Amino acid sequence: MIRRLTLPIVVSLAVLAPGLSKAQGRVAGVDSPPTPDSIAVAGQKRNTAASVIQMSGLVPGRALNYRDVQRAIQALFASGQFDDVQLLQTQADGRNILVIQVRERPQLVKWTVRGVERLAEGSVRDKVQLSEGRPLDPAAVTRALARIDSMYHAQGYYLAEAKPVYVYERDSAAVRVIFDLQEGNRVAISQVDIQGNTHFTDQLIVEQMHSKPEGFFWMHSGEYNDDKVAEDLRQTLPEYYGKRGYVDFQVLQDTLIVNEKTGKATLVVTVSEGEPYKVGTFEIVGNRRFSTDELQPYYPFDTHNRTGLLGLGGRPSNAYFDDQQWQDATRKLQTLYYNNGYIYVQVRPDVIRRFDANGKPVVDLRWVINEGQPAIVSHVEIRGNDVTHERVIREAIVMVPGDVFRQDALIASYQRVSNLGFFNQPLPFPETKPANEQGDIDVVFHVTEKRTGNINFGASVGQGTGVGGFIGLDEPNLFGKGKRGQLQWQFGKNINDFSITYTDPAIRESRISGTIGVHDQRVRYVIADVGRLRRRGANVQFGFPLFGSNYTRLFLNYALDEQSYTGSSTNAAFTNAFRCNYCVRSSLGASVMRDTRVDLPFPTAGTMVQFGFTQNGGFLGGTGDFQRVDVEDHFYAPIGTLGGSPTSNVKLVLGLSSRTGFVFGVTPFFDQLFTLGGTQFFIPLRGYDEASITPFGYDPNAAVNGASPLAFGKSYFTMTGEIGIRVSQMLYLSTFYDAGNVWSRPAQFDPTHLFRGAGFGAAVISPLGPLGIDYAYGFDKTDITGRPAPGWKLHFKLGNFF
């Protein structure tokens, strides 16, 4: 027998009603709070009666009150197992029985998405956070639908609609959920309506935005993207107005009005422009380390309107205020202080708004500088070097204890340690921490050793070298002291190249470096059909720091080679011109090199400039008497990163380089003269065949008949511009533009007449060193009749010929 609800239980349900879900629990009872003799459970299939009673927290034999009812219903709903809960009271055989009547949620067997075509299905699935094998949570389904809608809206699919489809099984005890998607077309912006603008037209403002309306050409698709719109409204437009003095500019509102039938949309942007501010007076306050005259060049606006110390005697500028320029100038000023040890400097860029005598808005600018005390380097610590001796690392660090701490010295030290190549990359940036109450700094370099030695062997194939093999041993960090030993043997049908070198970057722990090497090289020049050349000999070189610089060194070297050139039976003219058996080349040279490149072997910043002079023969003995001058320079600048992070390893690089050479005197060694073309044997000029660029122009027969004896000159010039993508220390991609020429005599040197080539390529680090492939277009090729015949050329580079 089921009795009427008692007043206390009715009150308890009234209290619970606002907090319960749409499936309300209810209690039938008697006129006074009962004491159940036993508790029964009805309606459960998956859950046991004991588990339901345990979840409710109810105990038979204990009098019920409204708080017990509240807690029981809340606990059962909170378990996520039930869609409906009822508490019923009945009597049987004079005993009070409390019945917990439940309706279980169906168990989620599987879920999937259907109809995804325009976005990645994996991205859509990531928005659904449902656990299979558990009771279905309707709220989680609703949240998944909202996340899917948001994702489509962010990509411009405002007409997309997601609906859940429920497929019930086993008398509704199990369910499968299908998220059925109707994507529709991406919304296209047909019009951008700027409201509130009075100083600039809608067209001019829209031209600054990335979110442009659709147009006639395919690149003007008008596709809507939330991220691009947000960037326009938060950054692009404020920067555009800010550069013109509108420092009060604001975007008040943006609305997208979508026509559901056509999928076209109007983007309505409401702005408040304000008035343009001109620059008024300027003053510098608080500077002691640098005079006002030293700091004023950092002021970005009209130089003739700068004020003197504290702004006295200054007159207003006619320039409009540019907040971006002002902030950039402030950062440059801070960097000046950082590089002189004032790492605790505080520069406050004040922008003081006012109206001039004509009622026009003006900003007075002021740098308020709190210099603090210069920081001194207290300790330089190195942690993590288990193999490399600390001395090797410290020689790469350009800051020592007792120096004034400088930011540029810290960056240079980090780059030099990274360039050693002994540690895992990317190298963590050095840690700086206060050393004492005076503000001095401890600098800590954290390194992780990597395996530096290589033993490699295998087969190789190259353009001109044929099929062969190689054996190599290379250890750039012998005994952990930064000394380098290298053995290289490459052998095959057309090449046999054996060399051993040993380099000590710090002889007897001094700043003098030394290199000694021996070599035995035999090569058959299949490309250009030059013939056979054998070189064997030895060389020694010493390097000295120039003017105490860590980046500039003077090198002195001596080499002694015995060369034999037997030529080619099919290229008699070349053989007769340069035949030389057991000729001795004795050479003494000097060169100066300044190298600040970083991220080797594929640099992303810095420069390398080298000038060398070599005397061959003459008073040194040997065959011939000539002088050779070589000039080489490389410039690299980072232009961005891929992946959206400034610390990303994938870097975009702009590179410019040039090479120049001159030979004075008479030389019987053709390999000491210059010819251009290809990438394998001679001076590289991509897009052209080996040895095809001669002092007499382009030789179209070089690829078929081989190199002409007249192909070699005594002066040359090449230049290259490239945009590269440094994917890692092992992979580099680039697009390039080459130009160059060669002349018979140094007096004919004319860098205004050059042969041009352009293309793209890739380079990787292999066991033999760098290898790469380039595909280039030679613009200035001609046929045998002299008519223009430009075309593409594939170049393969391997090992020592790279």
Side-chain angles (χ1 to χ4, degrees), residues 584-601:
V584 175
R585 184 167 70 89
S586 177
S587 60
L588 179 66
S591 63
V592 176
M593 181 175 70
R594 178 171 177 81
D595 191 352
T596 63
R597 294 173 296 174
V598 298
D599 285 336
L600 297 174

Side-chain angles (χ1 to χ4, degrees), residues 358-613:
N358 298 321
K360 299 295 184 181
V362 173
V363 290
D364 294 331
L365 305 178
R366 178 172 57 197
W367 276 327
V368 180
I369 303 173
N370 182 8
E371 295 179 334
Q373 296 297 321
I376 304 298
V377 178
S378 179
H379 297 90
V380 177
E381 300 180 39
I382 302 169
R383 299 177 183 174
N385 55 313
D386 301 322
V387 177
T388 306
H389 287 215
E390 188 167 301
R391 177 190 59 80
V392 176
I393 305 174
R394 288 193 179 276
E395 286 182 352
I397 299 173
V398 297
M399 58 192 332
V400 297
D403 281 352
V404 172
F405 179 85
R406 295 181 296 111
Q407 187 181 43
D408 55 352
L410 179 66
I411 295 174
S413 299
Y414 168 74
Q415 293 171 341
R416 286 168 58 87
V417 172
S418 181
N419 280 350
L420 289 175
F422 304 154
F423 311 111
N424 288 330
Q425 300 294 327
L427 193 71
F429 197 77
E431 175 188 0
T432 57
K433 55 185 181 180
N436 50 44
E437 295 180 355
Q438 287 72 39
D440 295 338
I441 293 294
D442 286 340
V443 180
V444 183
F445 288 82
H446 295 275
V447 298
T448 304
E449 301 274 8
K450 72 175 183 180
R451 182 180 64 84
T452 55
N454 290 296
I455 300 177
N456 45 71
F457 55 89
S460 66
V461 60
Q463 183 185 19
T465 62
V467 178
F470 62 86
I471 298 175
L473 290 87
D474 184 16
E475 175 53 72
N477 192 16
L478 277 172
F479 319 116
K481 296 183 178 181
K483 307 177 190 298
R484 181 167 196 148
Q486 188 175 34
L487 181 150
Q488 186 85 23
W489 183 25
Q490 185 178 359
F491 51 87
K493 177 181 179 181
N494 299 322
I495 187 170
N496 193 316
D497 188 358
F498 179 83
S499 64
I500 300 177
T501 59
Y502 172 77
T503 300
D504 188 343
I507 299 177
R508 300 179 64 85
E509 299 188 5
S510 68
R511 297 189 65 188
I512 300 174
S513 63
T515 299
I516 186 171
V518 295
H519 58 270
D520 187 345
Q521 180 187 43
R522 283 171 289 176
V523 59
R524 178 187 176 195
Y525 289 87
V526 177
I527 296 179
D529 194 23
V530 172
R532 297 177 182 270
L533 174 68
R534 178 171 183 175
R535 297 175 55 233
R536 54 184 176 180
N539 62 284
V540 62
Q541 175 179 274
F542 296 96
F544 308 87
L546 198 61
F547 309 120
S549 172
N550 290 300
Y551 304 101
T552 308
R553 295 184 73 82
L554 169 67
F555 294 96
L556 302 176
N557 63 80
Y558 177 78
L560 185 65
D561 276 346
E562 181 189 80
Q563 297 190 15
S564 292
Y565 172 66
T566 57
S568 168
S569 59
T570 59
N571 195 347
F574 196 95
T575 301
N576 294 333
F578 293 102
R579 182 186 298 275
C580 187
N581 292 322
Y582 303 105
C583 296
V584 175
R585 184 167 70 89
S586 177
S587 60
L588 179 66
S591 63
V592 176
M593 181 175 70
R594 178 171 177 81
D595 191 352
T596 63
R597 294 173 296 174
V598 298
D599 285 336
L600 297 174
F602 302 121
T604 60
T607 64
M608 193 283 281
V609 179
Q610 184 171 13
F611 175 85
F613 174 84

Side-chain angles (χ1 to χ4, degrees), residues 230-281:
E231 182 183 357
D232 285 334
L233 304 185
R234 297 173 186 172
Q235 183 175 343
T236 306
L237 291 184
E239 284 183 358
Y240 175 75
Y241 272 89
K243 287 181 177 296
R244 288 151 182 80
Y246 292 85
V247 296
D248 295 330
F249 172 83
Q250 296 181 63
V251 176
L252 302 179
Q253 185 180 8
D254 65 286
T255 306
L256 188 69
I257 303 174
V258 181
N259 186 321
E260 296 186 1
K261 294 182 179 180
T262 64
K264 306 298 183 181
T266 299
L267 177 61
V268 181
V269 180
T270 304
V271 301
S272 173
E273 293 180 324
E275 293 295 326
Y277 284 78
K278 288 190 175 182
V279 176
T281 60

Side-chain angles (χ1 to χ4, degrees), residues 127-437:
K127 300 300 180 182
V128 181
Q129 298 176 359
L130 296 180
S131 299
E132 296 176 352
R134 296 180 59 84
L136 176 64
D137 183 1
V141 174
T142 302
R143 289 193 296 269
L145 292 172
R147 285 192 290 265
I148 292 174
D149 283 342
S150 296
M151 179 181 181
Y152 272 91
H153 288 179
Q155 298 298 322
Y157 293 93
Y158 270 76
L159 303 179
E161 184 178 7
K163 294 181 179 180
V165 177
Y166 300 96
V167 181
Y168 291 94
E169 303 175 357
R170 300 195 301 271
D171 295 333
S172 299
V175 66
R176 297 175 181 267
V177 179
I178 302 172
F179 292 90
D180 196 7
L181 288 162
Q182 299 295 328
E183 294 179 319
N185 294 321
R186 176 176 284 180
V187 168
I189 303 175
S190 61
Q191 181 182 359
V192 178
D193 182 13
I194 308 296
Q195 298 182 356
N197 53 312
T198 57
H199 296 86
F200 299 98
T201 64
D202 287 16
Q203 181 181 359
L204 187 58
I205 297 173
V206 172
E207 285 177 357
Q208 316 308 317
M209 301 172 61
H210 299 96
S211 304
K212 293 182 172 63
E214 60 183 351
F216 177 78
F217 296 103
W218 61 268
M219 71 282 295
H220 298 150
S221 63
E223 290 183 349
Y224 179 86
N225 184 288
D226 265 353
D227 293 335
K228 289 184 178 180
V229 171
E231 182 183 357
D232 285 334
L233 304 185
R234 297 173 186 172
Q235 183 175 343
T236 306
L237 291 184
E239 284 183 358
Y240 175 75
Y241 272 89
K243 287 181 177 296
R244 288 151 182 80
Y246 292 85
V247 296
D248 295 330
F249 172 83
Q250 296 181 63
V251 176
L252 302 179
Q253 185 180 8
D254 65 286
T255 306
L256 188 69
I257 303 174
V258 181
N259 186 321
E260 296 186 1
K261 294 182 179 180
T262 64
K264 306 298 183 181
T266 299
L267 177 61
V268 181
V269 180
T270 304
V271 301
S272 173
E273 293 180 324
E275 293 295 326
Y277 284 78
K278 288 190 175 182
V279 176
T281 60
F282 167 61
E283 61 179 343
I284 305 174
V285 178
N287 53 309
R288 299 186 305 275
R289 169 63 178 82
F290 299 99
S291 68
T292 301
D293 289 338
E294 291 175 306
L295 298 183
Q296 277 188 340
Y298 291 89
Y299 179 65
F301 303 110
D302 290 350
T303 56
H304 65 280
N305 290 323
R306 296 178 186 149
T307 65
L309 182 62
L310 302 182
L312 299 178
R315 53 197 177 100
S317 167
N318 290 321
Y320 284 107
F321 176 69
D322 184 342
D323 184 67
Q324 187 63 47
Q325 276 190 319
W326 178 238
Q327 297 300 328
D328 290 344
T330 302
R331 283 190 288 271
K332 292 178 182 178
L333 183 69
Q334 290 172 327
T335 301
L336 172 67
Y337 273 93
Y338 293 158
N339 289 340
N340 285 272
Y342 289 83
I343 63 172
Y344 302 110
V345 67
Q346 296 179 354
V347 180
R348 192 180 77 222
D350 286 347
V351 178
I352 305 169
R353 293 172 170 85
R354 65 178 176 87
F355 292 94
D356 63 12
N358 298 321
K360 299 295 184 181
V362 173
V363 290
D364 294 331
L365 305 178
R366 178 172 57 197
W367 276 327
V368 180
I369 303 173
N370 182 8
E371 295 179 334
Q373 296 297 321
I376 304 298
V377 178
S378 179
H379 297 90
V380 177
E381 300 180 39
I382 302 169
R383 299 177 183 174
N385 55 313
D386 301 322
V387 177
T388 306
H389 287 215
E390 188 167 301
R391 177 190 59 80
V392 176
I393 305 174
R394 288 193 179 276
E395 286 182 352
I397 299 173
V398 297
M399 58 192 332
V400 297
D403 281 352
V404 172
F405 179 85
R406 295 181 296 111
Q407 187 181 43
D408 55 352
L410 179 66
I411 295 174
S413 299
Y414 168 74
Q415 293 171 341
R416 286 168 58 87
V417 172
S418 181
N419 280 350
L420 289 175
F422 304 154
F423 311 111
N424 288 330
Q425 300 294 327
L427 193 71
F429 197 77
E431 175 188 0
T432 57
K433 55 185 181 180
N436 50 44
E437 295 180 355

